[in-house]
């Protein structure tokens, strides 16, 4: 078990574990069968744009299943409320996220541009089903992601947060990156602001 963290809004503690240690059926329960998560399976940053459409939903799901066979390099954590899986967080070496190398928004803004550096880990995605939102699941996952990255040799953890206060309304679909407040609550510092509603967040573990 990675952590057991008391949720500010929910008296029962949330349990966070490496997704590789959980039944894949629990991962499937979080990603669901509809909406963006079911058509991505946390593969967006891992597949070059020219290859994306050729993989298909089933191929994306099987890619994640295969990646979970290598728990020492991520790629994610699951949060539980009791025995119910309530959220997912992607955390793994940034070098695994090949599409970051093509992203001007991210790769052009991070103060640590060596995307092949194995000591830099990324928290790139959150999935919390609608029924379990506003209960501190993202907070618990962010804090556990730091612990998991540290235990696996990371010296720096980076996130690509949305700032919901930058505009009157941010589409819920855009919040899969996590919010600035979630990262700040886990000890991250804003190191770059590529645009008004996106911030590069970092937490150095070797300081």
């Amino acid at each position: 078990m990675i952590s057991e963290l008391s949720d500010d809004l929910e008296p029962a503690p949330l349990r966070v574990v490496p997704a590789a240690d959980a039944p894949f059926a629990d991962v499937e329960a979080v990603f669901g069968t509809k909406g963006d998560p079911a058509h991505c399976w946390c593969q967006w940053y891992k597949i070059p744009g020219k290859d994306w459409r050729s993989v298909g939903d089933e191929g994306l799901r099987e890619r994640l299943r295969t990646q979970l066979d290598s728990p020492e390099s991520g790629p994610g954590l699951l949060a539980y409320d009791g025995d119910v899986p309530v959220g997912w967080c992607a955390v793994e070496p940034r070098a695994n996220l090949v599409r970051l190398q093509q992203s001007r928004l991210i790769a052009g803004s991070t103060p640590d541009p060596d995307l092949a550096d194995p000591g830099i880990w990324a928290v790139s995605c959150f999935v919390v089903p609608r029924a379990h939102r506003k209960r501190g699941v993202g907070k618990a996952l962010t804090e556990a992601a730091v612990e998991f990255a540290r235990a696996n040799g990371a010296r720096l953890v980076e996130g690509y947060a949305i700032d919901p206060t930058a505009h009157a309304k941010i589409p819920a679909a855009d919040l899969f990156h996590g919010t600035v407040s979630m990262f700040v609550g886990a000890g991250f510092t804003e190191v770059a602001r590529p645009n008004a509603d996106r911030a590069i967040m970092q937490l150095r573990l070797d300081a």
Side-chain angles (χ1 to χ4, degrees):
M1 184 173 69
I2 288 295
S3 67
E4 190 165 292
L5 302 167
S6 292
D7 185 330
D8 291 339
L9 303 178
E10 178 70 23
L14 296 174
R15 181 170 53 97
V16 182
V17 305
D21 295 343
F24 192 69
D26 287 355
V27 178
E28 293 175 309
V30 169
F31 278 79
T33 59
K34 299 179 181 179
D36 291 340
H39 302 300
C40 178
W41 293 93
C42 230
Q43 301 302 303
W44 175 258
Y45 283 129
K46 299 180 180 182
I47 300 174
K50 62 183 178 62
D51 300 326
W52 176 259
R53 292 186 180 278
S54 66
V55 179
D57 290 355
E58 183 63 21
L60 296 171
R61 185 179 71 89
E62 289 306 309
R63 281 176 61 95
L64 179 57
R65 186 198 292 267
T66 299
Q67 289 156 10
L68 288 172
D69 290 335
S70 301
E72 71 283 353
S73 61
L77 306 175
L78 276 185
Y80 286 85
D81 183 356
D83 294 328
V84 179
V86 296
W88 156 276
C89 169
V91 53
E92 59 191 305
R94 193 177 65 176
N96 293 352
L97 308 181
V98 296
R99 197 180 283 205
L100 283 182
Q101 300 175 33
Q102 305 164 358
S103 169
R104 293 181 181 178
L105 181 68
I106 295 171
S109 301
T110 175
D112 296 271
D114 181 4
L115 297 177
D117 187 337
I120 299 177
W121 281 48
V123 180
S124 59
C125 177
F126 295 85
V127 179
V128 180
R130 187 180 301 274
H132 306 296
R133 293 174 187 169
K134 300 186 182 300
R135 297 169 57 192
V137 176
K139 174 180 181 290
L141 284 165
T142 308
E143 294 178 358
V146 171
E147 186 178 338
F148 182 72
R150 178 185 285 113
N152 285 278
R155 60 176 180 79
L156 184 151
V157 186
E158 188 171 83
Y160 316 104
I162 292 291
D163 185 352
T165 69
H167 300 296
K169 184 174 179 58
I170 299 287
D174 290 349
L175 296 177
F176 75 91
H177 299 286
T179 64
V180 169
S181 61
M182 279 169 43
F183 282 97
V184 169
F188 286 72
T189 300
E190 182 178 326
V191 296
R193 179 72 66 141
N195 58 36
D197 61 4
R198 178 66 72 85
I200 308 298
M201 310 295 295
Q202 287 189 346
L203 176 58
R204 293 191 176 274
L205 305 178
D206 57 357

